[in-house]
Amino acid sequence: MPAVDWEHPGLAPWRRWGEPVARAAASLRLHAALQSLAAPPQPGFVPQEALPADQPYECFIDRTGRVPTRDNLHDFFNGLVWLAFPTAKRQLNRLQAAEIAARGIGPVRGRLRDAITLFDEHGAVLQAPPVLWAALQARDWRRAFVDLRPLWAEARLTVFGHALMEKLVAGQKSATAHLLLGPDPHDPSLTADDGRLVDALTADWLVRKPFTPLPVAGVPGWHPGNANFCFYDDSEVFRPRRAADPEQLTTVRHAVMLEAGRGAPIFTASLPPTEKPT
């Protein structure tokens, strides 16, 4: 696995879990390294080979309480999120497994599974002043990152999605977090606390895809280039809001592709070619 810069603001909160697991993984397989830190309510971790070829990944976790784990950076970060947010991750997993049990694997995955995948892979939680939230929801990037720049000192941005963490390690300028809005329209902020976060992870709320995209390279201190405000002129990263924006659908597809090779029939590696996000 590549080296992780734990000084990066998006990865620094994960250091308390990441460094011990990385040290243990120097002499153990990743699932065993994660297991060395796990205790209830955290799940157990098993090698990828423990996942039966004919059983969906989420259903296996829901049934056994164990997470099949590959020896790569993607599953390293996934394991860290399970350690830090076991209740929230279990809620997402439970909803996925219930959808699969009710609807099976078909030509369309459905809005709820799409939304869960999006947050699980690329999600983040933001606590910020309402005026900053308003600028982000309007995708008024110049206002959010330049005019309101001092307000970021009052904000707390916590990365939840493990695919997003991979992109931070790779230094991808285009990395986009999908912020989960709180159900209260007067305060979209959510507390990055396992017990409180799970209250917002309901099927009724997630199916509405209540997310706001955030190009994380624009957050002050998250990319060395953004001290020069010309940084925000890159329209390939800081896209204006459009009436029919395909960005979220593209991110869902990418999130699913990242899981390819796990061997579970809910992912593209073994999905019927017609199954796609909605």
Side-chain angles (χ1 to χ4, degrees):
M1 294 189 296
V4 176
D5 177 13
W6 297 111
E7 298 296 326
H8 187 286
L11 298 172
W14 294 98
R15 172 178 250 156
R16 61 170 295 205
W17 301 108
E19 285 190 332
V21 171
R23 283 195 298 269
S27 58
L28 299 170
R29 289 190 63 184
L30 181 55
H31 74 276
L34 289 162
Q35 186 60 47
S36 69
L37 272 72
Q42 296 157 337
F45 295 90
V46 294
Q48 175 67 19
E49 308 89 79
L51 176 66
D54 62 348
Q55 186 166 8
Y57 170 76
E58 282 90 348
C59 295
F60 177 86
I61 297 173
D62 186 56
R63 179 176 64 83
T64 68
R66 297 179 295 167
V67 179
T69 302
R70 301 167 295 189
D71 295 301
N72 60 28
L73 189 64
H74 190 76
D75 284 15
F76 169 76
F77 283 128
N78 185 46
L80 299 191
V81 183
W82 271 107
L83 292 175
F85 291 95
T87 308
K89 286 283 280 187
R90 195 173 296 278
Q91 169 71 355
L92 294 175
N93 176 256
R94 185 181 300 113
L95 292 173
Q96 282 272 32
E99 280 291 290
I100 294 169
R103 305 177 189 276
I105 302 297
V108 175
R109 289 190 293 116
R111 288 181 62 84
L112 179 56
R113 286 176 61 200
D114 283 352
I116 293 170
T117 300
L118 187 64
F119 185 68
D120 191 46
E121 296 279 354
H122 294 92
V125 178
L126 176 66
Q127 293 170 272
V131 65
L132 186 53
W133 263 108
L136 292 174
Q137 289 178 279
R139 301 193 196 183
D140 188 344
W141 308 121
R142 178 69 57 166
R143 176 164 171 76
F145 294 126
V146 179
D147 299 344
L148 301 177
R149 199 173 185 86
L151 291 184
W152 283 98
E154 303 175 29
R156 181 187 178 194
L157 175 60
T158 303
V159 175
F160 184 94
H162 49 287
L164 179 57
M165 295 181 201
E166 275 192 291
K167 292 182 178 182
L168 294 179
V169 171
Q172 292 186 22
K173 181 181 178 181
S174 61
T176 299
H178 286 264
L179 306 177
L180 178 64
L181 301 174
D184 182 354
H186 302 292
D187 182 9
S189 294
L190 287 172
T191 303
D193 172 83
D194 189 33
R196 295 181 182 178
L197 180 58
V198 75
D199 291 338
L201 297 176
T202 65
D204 289 345
W205 185 238
L206 288 169
V207 77
R208 297 170 63 180
K209 294 187 179 176
F211 306 116
T212 288
L214 170 65
V216 292
V219 178
W222 283 51
H223 192 287
N226 72 31
N228 183 333
F229 295 159
C230 292
F231 184 85
Y232 301 104
D233 294 335
D234 186 348
S235 60
E236 292 299 311
V237 176
F238 303 99
R239 303 177 189 177
R241 190 179 189 92
R242 291 181 289 177
D245 195 337
E247 177 183 17
Q248 181 165 300
L249 177 58
T250 301
T251 306
V252 171
R253 285 179 176 147
H254 179 64
V256 174
M257 289 175 65
L258 283 168
E259 290 291 349
R262 190 180 286 283
I266 56 170
F267 295 121
T268 34
S270 53
L271 271 175
T274 53
E275 179 152 346
K276 58 185 182 296
T278 57

